[in-house]
Amino acid sequence: TQSTWGYSFQFIFMAAQTAPKTGGSLRDAVGAVVCPGDVVARIDDARVALGSGLRQDGEFVVASVAGVVRLRAPRHFWIENRQKRYVPVVEDMVIGVVTQKMGENFKVDIGSAFAATLNSLAFEGASKRNRPNVRVGTVVYARVVLANKDMEPEISCMDATLHSGGFGILADGFVSECSITFARRLFAPQSALLDAIGMRLPYELAVGANGRFWVNSTSAVNTILITNAVLNAEPLDDEQAVRMVERLFAGVSRERDA
């Protein structure tokens, strides 16, 4: 019992040391450990983007989950934690699977508590006469345009300028799931893992903030190989991930030559 209390007090002391300063800026709060209900910072930039785990309450930013405050340049803040279920956030990029057609709308599974709604006209160039070829089972890459705790999320396959912007139907390829934390790591502008794979094989990759990624390559074998490389890299750091890719591709080359 004495040992348990000792660890508890130690954790509380460490959390207090890393707690954000109330009224400070969001950039000062990066790296801080927060709990649900904590006031993270005061909003000092109207252009700031609040991601998963953060919400605005008047002039303050409040945490809705426990974790560590992170920043993705230039002004996108979120809380990194080990959550398993995806919570939609406006402007998140997600990978979804169409599960149902309802009139002019589609129900799309994005891994959240409720299915998202996708309008048949939410594609570049779509009209009532020229509708996209979307069926049950179709995989789409979209962005969240509506996220409210009292409403079903809404997604769109167009960017803010009403162009495709890389969004749309993901044909062929292979979809896999990973942790939400690892998916956000794959969003980094520079990824040693993805660079190492790209040096060996050409491929296409789409990553969703909902813990899904889509891979397509020149053949089914290469697509599976790349997918396995990405999945194996989740518990590794950058240096370990690069070595893993080197060993994986070297082993495949030896088998092909044999």
Side-chain angles (χ1 to χ4, degrees):
T1 305
Q2 184 177 1
S3 176
T4 302
W5 277 104
Y7 283 120
S8 300
F9 281 124
Q10 183 180 11
F11 174 78
I12 294 173
F13 177 71
M14 291 175 61
Q17 283 185 315
T18 57
K21 298 179 180 179
T22 304
S25 70
L26 267 172
R27 292 186 181 274
D28 294 336
V30 173
V33 178
V34 295
C35 294
D38 283 353
V39 176
V40 178
R42 184 189 298 270
I43 296 180
D44 56 357
D45 187 350
R47 299 171 298 174
V48 70
L50 300 181
S52 176
L54 294 173
R55 62 180 178 85
Q56 182 177 352
D57 186 4
E59 59 180 338
F60 294 100
V61 176
V62 180
S64 58
V65 298
V68 181
V69 181
R70 297 299 189 195
L71 165 66
R72 183 167 72 242
R75 290 178 294 273
H76 183 84
F77 297 85
W78 82 96
I79 293 181
E80 182 182 74
N81 62 3
R82 293 294 180 180
Q83 70 183 49
K84 295 183 178 180
R85 181 177 292 279
Y86 170 66
V87 179
V89 177
V90 173
E91 296 300 330
D92 268 0
M93 294 176 285
V94 296
I95 294 176
V97 180
V98 176
T99 58
Q100 187 179 3
K101 187 179 188 304
M102 301 179 62
E104 294 189 354
N105 295 324
F106 299 97
K107 291 295 183 181
V108 183
D109 172 26
I110 59 173
S112 59
F114 299 98
T117 300
L118 173 64
N119 191 278
S120 60
L121 301 180
F123 293 82
E124 183 180 16
S127 64
K128 290 188 176 181
R129 292 187 176 182
N130 181 29
R131 296 177 184 271
N133 185 23
V134 178
R135 301 177 180 178
V136 173
T138 298
V139 180
V140 295
Y141 192 45
R143 69 184 182 97
V144 179
V145 295
L146 176 65
N148 189 299
K149 63 179 181 179
D150 300 318
M151 301 175 63
E152 293 182 348
E154 184 177 332
I155 60 177
S156 171
C157 288
M158 294 187 291
D159 59 18
T161 63
L162 302 183
H163 292 88
S164 64
F167 299 111
I169 297 173
L170 296 177
D172 302 323
F174 188 75
V175 177
S176 296
E177 295 186 356
C178 61
S179 69
I180 294 176
T181 301
F182 183 61
R184 295 191 182 278
R185 278 178 54 192
L186 295 176
F187 274 119
Q190 297 294 329
S191 172
L193 166 67
L194 301 182
D195 290 343
I197 297 174
M199 292 175 61
R200 293 162 175 81
L201 282 176
Y203 70 97
E204 296 176 285
L205 175 72
V207 181
N210 56 337
R212 295 174 182 172
F213 65 93
W214 169 87
V215 177
N216 190 27
S217 188
T218 53
S219 67
V221 173
N222 289 341
T223 298
I224 295 173
L225 178 63
I226 295 169
T227 300
N228 287 336
V230 175
L231 291 173
N232 292 340
E234 182 165 349
L236 309 178
D237 59 29
D238 287 346
E239 184 177 348
Q240 292 172 332
V242 171
R243 290 202 299 267
M244 179 273 297
V245 170
E246 292 174 349
R247 291 195 299 268
L248 181 62
F249 279 83
V252 173
S253 296
R254 287 194 297 269
E255 290 181 3
R256 289 177 176 175
D257 294 339

